[in-house]
């Protein structure tokens, strides 16, 4: 157990205390590919480049087209792929499906997952009653990655414990850059990754604003092609 913890510390921190993110790949907008001991984990695949590895697990946060893209899911899905999605989205698929709801814990294969509510407070795009989610995914080395989905700065965020947080900063449909930084400053992830910019809404300026305001390490990722 202690050996695994020491390996985790070695993998997480590089010289100077910077986190190692070579296992995290931003695919644009809110889409990510995460590698975990040979497993390929995707979150909200959308407008995927060609020739990506097939997915072991696909997480979907909600049913909007830029997060739930059947076309992109088909590109990376196999018969063995586990698809994890809120109930109203999971119902649109057959096969190896796990339907989830907010505020619950799940085991997805060997991966432990906690669902976090994702909704708007002062907008109507993502109603709380839809049961849409973000995910806290615990990798095999113990690293906890939080992908918030489309959300505002909601009270539930204050209880989050995460090493890495991926959160939207583009505004309009979600948090603004300022609101995102304020949210992250409440639960203090070791690393913050701005998302939901550079495509439909938001710009690199928004991501840079987050970096200025977050009281921790921020990585503005480049889209993997």
């Amino acid at each position: 157990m202690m050996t695994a913890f020491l390996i985790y510390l070695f993998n997480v921190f590089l010289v100077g205390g910077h986190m190692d993110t070579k296992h995290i790949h931003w695919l644009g907008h809110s889409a990510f590919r995460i590698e975990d001991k040979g497993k390929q984990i995707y979150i909200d695949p959308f407008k995927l480049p060609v020739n990506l590895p097939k997915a072991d697990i696909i997480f979907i946060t909600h049913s909007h087209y830029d997060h739930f893209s059947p076309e992109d899911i088909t590109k990376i899905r196999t018969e063995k792929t586990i698809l994890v999605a809120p109930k109203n989205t999971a119902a649109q698929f057959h096969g190896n499906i796990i339907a989830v709801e907010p505020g619950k814990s799940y085991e997805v294969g060997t991966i432990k997952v906690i669902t976090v509510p994702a909704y708007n407070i002062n907008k109507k795009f993502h109603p709380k009653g839809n049961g849409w989610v973000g995910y806290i995914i615990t990798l095999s080395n113990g690293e906890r990655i939080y992908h918030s989905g489309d959300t505002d700065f909601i009270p539930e965020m204050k209880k989050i414990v995460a090493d890495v947080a991926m959160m939207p900063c583009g505004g309009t449909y979600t948090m603004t850059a300022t609101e995102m930084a304020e949210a992250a400053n409440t639960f203090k992830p070791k690393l913050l990754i701005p998302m939901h910019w550079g495509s439909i809404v938001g710009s690199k300026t928004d991501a840079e604003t987050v970096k200025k305001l977050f009281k921790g390490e921020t990585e503005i990722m480049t889209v993997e092609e």
Side-chain angles (χ1 to χ4, degrees), residues 3-201:
T3 301
F5 179 69
L6 292 174
I7 292 173
Y8 165 63
L9 291 179
F10 177 80
N11 287 334
V12 166
F13 293 103
L14 293 174
V15 176
H18 297 295
M19 288 195 69
D20 180 359
T21 57
K22 66 179 181 296
H23 60 304
I24 300 174
H25 309 270
W26 185 41
L27 305 175
H29 200 51
S30 295
F32 287 86
R33 178 173 66 90
I34 301 168
E35 299 174 274
D36 182 39
K37 279 193 172 179
K39 291 187 180 297
Q40 301 291 333
I41 301 168
Y42 288 82
I43 308 173
D44 285 357
F46 178 61
K47 292 186 176 180
L48 296 181
V50 297
N51 299 323
L52 285 174
K54 296 298 184 181
D56 293 287
I57 306 171
I58 301 173
F59 290 95
I60 304 297
T61 61
H62 65 291
S63 59
H64 286 164
Y65 77 95
D66 52 331
H67 298 263
F68 172 52
S69 169
E71 177 184 354
D72 288 291
I73 290 172
T74 299
K75 291 178 184 177
I76 55 174
R77 191 182 184 198
T78 71
E79 291 182 357
K80 295 181 179 179
T81 302
I82 303 172
L83 180 66
V84 184
K87 289 183 177 180
N88 66 350
T89 308
Q92 301 181 50
F93 273 92
H94 298 286
N96 203 353
I97 312 295
I98 298 177
V100 301
E101 56 186 277
K104 303 288 185 180
S105 297
Y106 298 88
E107 289 193 7
V108 183
T110 59
I111 303 293
K112 293 182 179 179
V113 179
I114 297 172
T115 53
V116 180
Y119 59 90
N120 289 136
I121 293 175
N122 57 2
K123 312 175 189 67
K124 61 181 180 180
F125 305 108
H126 306 88
K128 187 175 184 179
N130 283 4
W132 292 339
V133 299
Y135 297 97
I136 300 174
I137 302 167
T138 301
L139 302 184
S140 57
N141 64 0
E143 182 178 277
R144 293 163 63 98
I145 297 178
Y146 170 50
H147 186 293
S148 71
D150 277 5
T151 185
D152 283 331
F153 177 11
I154 58 176
E156 292 89 343
M157 286 182 180
K158 296 177 181 179
K159 297 181 180 180
I160 287 172
V161 178
D163 299 294
V164 180
M166 305 158 170
M167 301 169 70
C169 67
T172 306
Y173 308 106
T174 65
M175 293 179 282
T176 64
T178 300
E179 291 166 340
M180 176 192 165
E182 181 184 359
N185 281 328
T186 64
F187 66 90
K188 301 177 176 63
K190 294 183 178 74
L191 177 68
L192 186 61
I193 300 174
M195 66 177 188
H196 212 275
W197 65 270
S199 179
I200 296 171
V201 293

Side-chain angles (χ1 to χ4, degrees), residues 167-171 175-185 192-195 197 202-220:
M167 301 169 70
C169 67
M175 293 179 282
T176 64
T178 300
E179 291 166 340
M180 176 192 165
E182 181 184 359
N185 281 328
L192 186 61
I193 300 174
M195 66 177 188
W197 65 270
S203 66
K204 190 172 183 179
T205 299
D206 294 306
E208 290 168 346
T209 298
V210 170
K211 190 167 187 175
K212 291 177 184 176
L213 297 177
F214 176 55
K215 299 174 183 177
E217 183 182 355
T218 300
E219 181 171 345
I220 300 174

